């Protein structure tokens, strides 16, 4: 159970950072320095990738242990906890967005002045970072949520974001769980996670990202308002949270699909 908690914590961290990534465009519009915003966020993404690197072997050890002890039914319970941690991480990320935008906007201007990430890190370290962060903390503004409107935002774009999130959340987990159900071919099953997440990534690159980029660029050009970007971010974040909840529903069907494909391949 201890390892499950660790995996859940890493999963929550990954999804929290993924959720915060939606607000990078909003910070870019606010500061009118979108390229700098995207570049600076890549540093934060390293935390997510590090968590993912640690999470993967821990998850593998949980599955191997369950197979060796014949505790496959208990494994399903563990996977449900891990999926729930994705929802929890997304909710935490959503709550932190106002504070993140404030802190991140200051970071963008600081990067512009220092000219490099190493110099920026030195400046942060010697400039009382805890106090700066504390002064930048903001609670979610319910008044701004009331002003949210889907005008000018395609419902098709939002539905696909929800669908892609639900698939990508359980892509690896469904493949690994299918491998646990068919342990003699679990490597074949686990490798199918690349097909699932790859499909989700392609859909994200073709449908969601270009539309989000278009809305953001139009706001920078003055064609759209900042409020429209805020609405887009709100709906994308909401879709991510709902998508992780939907993952609980489609987890078993997705595992069965992976299991069916695995049997066809052997």
């Amino acid at each position: 159970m201890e390892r499950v908690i660790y995996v859940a914590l890493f999963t929550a961290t990954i999804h929290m950072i993924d959720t915060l990534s939606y607000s990078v465009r909003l910070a870019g519009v606010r500061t009118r320095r979108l390229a700098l915003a995207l570049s600076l966020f890549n540093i934060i993404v390293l935390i997510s990738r590090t968590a993912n690197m640690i999470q993967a072997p821990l998850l593998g050890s949980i599955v191997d242990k369950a197979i060796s002890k014949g505790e496959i039914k208990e494994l399903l319970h563990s996977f449900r906890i891990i999926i729930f941690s994705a929802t929890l991480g997304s909710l935490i990320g959503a709550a932190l967005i106002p504070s993140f935008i404030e802190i991140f906007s200051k970071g963008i201007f600081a990067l512009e002045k220092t000219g490099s990430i190493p110099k920026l890190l030195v400046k942060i370290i010697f400039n009382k970072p805890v106090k700066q962060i504390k002064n930048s903390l903001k609670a979610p503004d319910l008044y701004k949520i009331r002003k949210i409107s889907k005008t000018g935002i395609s419902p098709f774009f939002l539905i696909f974001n929800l669908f892609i999130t639900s698939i990508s959340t359980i892509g690896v987990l469904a493949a690994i769980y299918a491998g646990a159900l068919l342990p003699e071919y679990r490597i074949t099953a686990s490798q199918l996670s690349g097909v699932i997440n790859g499909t989700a990534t392609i859909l994200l690159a073709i449908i969601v990202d270009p539309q989000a980029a278009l809305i953001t660029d139009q706001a920078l050009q003055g064609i759209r308002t900042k409020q429209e970007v805020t609405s887009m971010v709100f709906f994308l974040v909401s879709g991510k949270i709902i998508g992780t909840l939907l993952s609980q529903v489609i987890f078993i069907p997705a595992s069965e699909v992976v299991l069916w494909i695995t049997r066809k391949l052997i």
Side-chain angles (χ1 to χ4, degrees):
M1 190 62 188
E2 184 181 352
R3 292 187 184 185
V4 174
I5 293 172
Y6 284 137
V7 172
L9 287 172
F10 286 125
T11 300
T13 301
I14 292 165
H15 282 268
M16 181 188 73
I17 293 172
D18 284 347
T19 303
L20 289 173
S21 70
Y22 291 119
S23 65
V24 171
R25 296 182 189 278
L26 194 54
V29 170
R30 177 177 173 177
T31 59
R32 307 196 70 80
R33 289 158 177 80
L34 183 58
L36 270 178
L38 295 172
S39 177
L40 183 57
F41 189 74
N42 285 335
I43 304 300
I44 301 172
V45 169
L46 292 176
I47 300 172
S48 176
R49 290 178 180 171
T50 302
N52 199 33
M53 286 171 58
I54 300 171
Q55 178 210 46
L58 279 175
L59 186 58
S61 68
I62 292 169
V63 174
D64 287 341
K65 192 174 180 180
I67 292 171
S68 64
K69 291 186 175 182
E71 298 175 346
I72 303 302
K73 290 184 179 179
E74 287 77 4
L75 188 62
L76 177 59
H77 177 66
S78 298
F79 275 51
R80 293 290 189 194
I81 293 173
I82 293 167
I83 296 171
F84 175 73
S85 72
T87 304
L88 188 60
S90 299
L91 285 168
I92 293 170
L96 289 175
I97 282 177
S99 300
F100 178 80
I101 292 173
E102 185 72 20
I103 296 168
F104 199 69
S105 296
K106 291 178 181 178
I108 291 169
F109 287 125
L111 178 59
E112 186 176 44
K113 288 180 181 178
T114 57
S116 71
I117 294 296
K119 289 181 180 179
L120 174 62
L121 292 174
V122 171
K123 182 177 179 180
I124 290 172
I125 292 169
F126 290 100
N127 200 30
K128 299 180 180 179
V130 175
K131 184 179 179 181
Q132 292 290 330
I133 291 172
K134 186 178 178 180
N135 291 337
S136 300
L137 293 179
K138 286 188 173 183
D141 192 338
L142 296 179
Y143 175 73
K144 287 184 179 180
I145 293 176
R146 294 194 197 102
K147 294 170 67 177
I148 296 298
S149 171
K150 65 178 184 298
T151 304
I153 303 174
S154 168
F156 181 73
F157 157 68
L158 299 174
I159 290 169
F160 256 92
N161 175 63
L162 189 155
F163 173 74
I164 291 166
T165 298
S166 63
I167 294 296
S168 60
T169 298
I170 49 92
V172 173
L173 296 175
I176 292 175
Y177 183 68
L181 297 176
L182 197 65
E184 60 270 30
Y185 293 103
R186 65 178 180 271
I187 295 177
T188 303
S190 65
Q191 291 303 307
L192 287 171
S193 65
V195 177
I196 299 170
N197 282 358
T199 302
T201 301
I202 290 169
L203 290 173
L204 184 71
I206 293 175
I207 298 171
V208 178
D209 273 354
Q211 184 69 20
L214 179 63
I215 292 171
T216 306
D217 281 347
Q218 286 178 340
L220 285 171
Q221 295 167 27
I223 300 171
R224 288 178 181 264
T225 64
K226 180 185 171 183
Q227 182 58 43
E228 287 180 273
V229 182
T230 302
S231 296
M232 177 192 72
V233 170
F234 173 82
F235 285 118
L236 287 176
V237 170
S238 299
K240 177 168 176 55
I241 294 169
I242 297 169
T244 59
L245 291 171
L246 182 60
S247 296
Q248 296 279 9
V249 178
I250 67 171
F251 176 65
I252 293 299
S255 299
E256 289 174 351
V257 169
V258 173
L259 201 57
W260 180 81
I261 296 173
T262 302
R263 284 173 175 152
K264 288 293 181 181
L265 291 174
I266 58 179

